[in-house]
Amino acid sequence: MRDVHAHLESLTNSLLSLWYQDLRNDLTGNGTKISKNAYDSSSKWRRSVRRYHQWQDRLKVFHSKQHPKNIGMQIFTLICFGQMISLIGSGLTNFALGVWVYQQTGSVTQFSLISLFISLPMILISPIAGTMVDQFPRRWMMVFSDLGAGIATGVIAFLFAADNLTFWHICAYVTISSCFSAFQLPAYMSAATLLVPEQDLARANGLLQVAEGVGSLVGPMLGGVLLLIIGINGIIFIDFATFIFALSILLLVPFPKQYIDRHRAEKTPWFKEASYGLVYLVKRRGLFALLLFFAINNFLVGIVQMLFTPLVLSFASATDLGTILTIGGVGMLVSSVLIITMKMPPYLIISIFAFKLLGGISIMYAGLYKSVPLLALIAFFFFFGLPIIKSSTQIIFQKKVPFNVQGRVFATIGAISSASQPLAYTVAGPLADKIFEPLVTPNGLLAGSIGKIIGVGQGRGIGLMFILMGILTVLATIIAYQYKPLRLLEKQLPDALA
């Protein structure tokens, strides 16, 4: 196979070189003077030369994809393993910092500001990040992202050791980490397409979900215990060590050569490059509708995510919170393993709708009762659906978007789908503190009606918000299903990888 592709490349390069020389002779009259057959303007000559180089780049991309050294699932599995270890460390740090901030301030509003500083910078940086991901090798963009986040973690560890850590330091830390994460999402999603054959995309995305599931499982499970034993400083040190491990794998594993069409990129203004992902999606109604559907759901789930910790801590301990999140991580892990071992359904969009409905129903029941076992069961079912939803969505986008523009398109997807989260994080705290919590106090306006069903007192206003967000999630899913270009997306839009 190696000889076949080598001969193919040699033959094609020879033909391209002959065509290039004939064109040059025709234009220059063998270097003496312009011939009668020359083009009327030098712009045509430049376009022809650029077209020649573009064909050479396409040949190199084809050759690299077909080369027997092109790594597959084995190397991708190693990368996912490194990320899984890193996610465990990040889960420990996020859990510890979240509990520390809420216990130090006692304010849901300040607690929600952290999530705002996590999501907003990623949205603003994503268009530029996507352009860079398409113009530089995927491996080095992933290294750049992980390196920046690791340095920020080290700074937080230093501040805490010096007893100078404040709430605003944590906000600055998550802001910097978010900026580097804007490069990570499009780089990792497009790297899966680069490394893994199309028929293994489901397994590859399943591995990514396993990594996230293990991180969600082990992080909270150990977080509550380690917070009491070694404190936040020890947890951050573990996080930094896991980052070094993941970065080492990225630096050591072999990557296939990735050729970039720099001739085209050099001729296009940067603002057009940054907006190309949005233009691409808008022209494809099914993909754009899927993106908007997730933006709406992310707003609703963002409120739930923001208020879940205050909801549980209103009647349970931090250890109980860790237990609930751990069981949710088990659900995510079980689902991810099923994705790897079982064949995905022919139409992934149906799986997305079905598990979105399950998620909405789970959110509704989470707000009804103050029960740790019940919340743990609900967390299992809710998190069980997340890998299936996420993997199905990623596979659809990976199949429908050409590789050479995936960085820009995936960055746009990340920015738009997450754009509603800052709004959710901004309104969640004030809505809970100023409106819903007072409604279901013992003397509140709804104490005699809804309060008799869900209870009254601290945390019951947040429970009421959960019920409302669950109902809205179910309604949004039903409405989205009625939109034909979205429901028939996989049938109507051809695969870019085919």
Side-chain angles (χ1 to χ4, degrees):
M1 182 65 72
R2 180 194 297 249
D3 294 338
V4 172
H5 292 300
H7 288 312
L8 176 61
E9 182 184 27
S10 176
L11 176 61
T12 310
N13 271 329
S14 298
L15 292 174
L16 285 172
S17 298
L18 288 173
W19 171 81
Y20 179 79
Q21 187 62 40
D22 290 341
L23 177 63
R24 183 178 180 86
N25 291 339
D26 186 39
L27 286 172
T28 63
N30 293 320
T32 55
K33 56 184 178 181
I34 302 298
S35 69
K36 294 181 179 180
N37 295 327
Y39 284 99
D40 294 334
S41 66
S42 60
S43 62
K44 292 184 178 180
W45 160 257
R46 289 194 298 270
R47 286 197 299 269
S48 297
V49 172
R50 189 159 60 248
R51 191 177 300 114
Y52 164 77
H53 288 298
Q54 288 174 350
W55 272 107
Q56 280 194 323
D57 284 343
R58 291 171 185 173
L59 173 64
K60 291 175 182 178
V61 171
F62 169 79
H63 182 67
S64 68
K65 282 182 173 292
Q66 302 297 328
H67 200 282
K69 288 186 177 180
N70 184 19
I71 59 179
M73 286 298 300
Q74 293 180 346
I75 299 301
F76 190 77
T77 301
L78 282 176
I79 296 174
C80 287
F81 178 71
Q83 289 303 303
M84 179 184 70
I85 299 300
S86 180
L87 285 172
I88 292 174
S90 299
L92 290 171
T93 300
N94 293 337
F95 179 85
L97 290 178
V99 172
W100 183 84
V101 169
Y102 187 71
Q103 290 179 342
Q104 291 290 321
T105 64
S107 170
V108 177
T109 300
Q110 285 194 340
F111 181 81
S112 64
L113 279 177
I114 295 179
S115 298
L116 176 63
F117 284 113
I118 290 175
S119 58
L120 188 58
M122 181 183 297
I123 296 169
L124 298 177
I125 296 295
S126 284
I128 299 174
T131 302
M132 294 182 64
V133 167
D134 277 340
Q135 295 185 4
F136 293 93
R138 303 296 195 263
R139 180 219 291 265
W140 298 114
M141 296 310 300
M142 291 187 286
V143 169
F144 172 73
S145 172
D146 288 352
L147 185 62
I151 293 174
T153 302
V155 172
I156 284 293
F158 174 79
L159 289 173
F160 191 86
D163 198 25
N164 288 326
L165 184 65
T166 65
F167 170 75
W168 294 109
H169 286 147
I170 294 179
C171 291
Y173 157 71
V174 298
T175 299
I176 295 172
S177 298
S178 176
C179 290
F180 286 103
S181 296
F183 294 87
Q184 187 180 56
L185 174 64
Y188 272 91
M189 285 187 65
S190 58
T193 310
L194 173 67
L195 302 175
V196 179
E198 180 182 356
Q199 62 271 19
D200 289 332
L201 281 177
R203 292 177 57 203
N205 285 286
L207 283 173
L208 289 174
Q209 302 309 311
V210 167
E212 292 187 13
V214 172
S216 300
L217 173 66
V218 178
M221 181 175 62
L222 295 178
V225 177
L226 293 178
L227 193 60
L228 299 175
I229 298 175
I230 62 177
I232 293 181
N233 201 35
I235 288 177
I236 295 177
F237 177 81
I238 294 175
D239 185 14
F240 190 77
T242 61
F243 144 75
I244 294 295
F245 179 80
L247 185 63
S248 299
I249 290 182
L250 280 177
L251 292 173
L252 294 176
V253 297
F255 258 62
K257 292 182 179 180
Q258 179 191 342
Y259 293 92
I260 311 295
D261 186 3
R262 300 191 184 278
H263 305 287
R264 177 200 57 77
E266 291 171 358
K267 301 298 180 180
T268 306
W270 69 269
F271 59 88
K272 288 187 177 181
E273 290 283 351
S275 61
Y276 179 83
L278 179 60
V279 174
Y280 182 92
L281 292 168
V282 170
K283 290 181 178 179
R284 292 152 181 84
R285 292 189 300 166
L287 291 179
F288 191 62
L290 180 61
L291 178 56
L292 292 181
F293 173 60
F294 271 91
I296 295 172
N297 275 274
N298 284 346
F299 172 76
L300 302 174
V301 175
I303 293 178
V304 172
Q305 177 185 356
M306 187 67 262
L307 298 177
F308 187 76
T309 295
L311 175 70
V312 176
L313 294 180
S314 67
F315 65 90
S317 66
T319 303
D320 292 328
L321 173 62
T323 301
I324 294 172
L325 293 177
T326 297
I327 294 176
V330 171
M332 182 180 293
L333 182 59
V334 170
S335 177
S336 301
V337 172
L338 291 177
I339 294 173
I340 297 174
T341 57
M342 297 182 65
K343 185 178 180 180
M344 295 293 285
Y347 297 110
L348 300 174
I349 195 69
I350 302 301
S351 300
I352 295 174
F353 287 134
F355 284 97
K356 277 294 183 182
L357 285 175
L358 176 63
I361 294 172
S362 299
I363 293 172
M364 283 191 293
Y365 277 96
L368 284 173
Y369 306 104
K370 297 189 293 184
S371 170
V372 172
L374 178 61
L375 279 180
L377 180 63
I378 290 172
F380 179 88
F381 285 110
F382 180 81
F383 283 99
F384 181 87
L386 291 184
I388 298 176
I389 294 171
K390 192 170 183 179
S391 293
S392 299
T393 306
Q394 288 178 348
I395 293 172
I396 290 175
F397 281 117
Q398 286 167 341
K399 286 185 175 181
K400 303 300 181 182
V401 180
F403 175 76
N404 64 318
V405 300
Q406 283 185 357
R408 284 163 288 176
V409 174
F410 290 164
T412 302
I413 292 170
I416 295 180
S417 62
S418 303
S420 56
Q421 288 182 330
L423 178 60
Y425 298 154
T426 301
V427 303
L431 283 176
D433 290 336
K434 305 298 183 182
I435 298 178
F436 283 89
E437 281 290 297
L439 285 176
V440 285
T441 57
N443 297 321
L445 184 63
L446 301 180
S449 54
I450 296 179
K452 292 183 177 180
I453 301 174
I454 65 174
V456 296
Q458 184 181 6
R460 289 298 80 204
I462 298 177
L464 179 59
M465 292 181 67
F466 270 53
I467 297 173
L468 179 61
M469 296 304 108
I471 294 174
L472 292 177
T473 299
V474 171
L475 290 177
T477 304
I478 294 174
I479 294 173
Y481 181 80
Q482 305 302 316
Y483 186 57
K484 189 174 181 180
L486 177 55
R487 188 174 68 251
L488 302 179
L489 169 61
E490 294 170 278
K491 293 182 180 180
Q492 293 181 346
L493 187 63
D495 290 350
L497 298 180

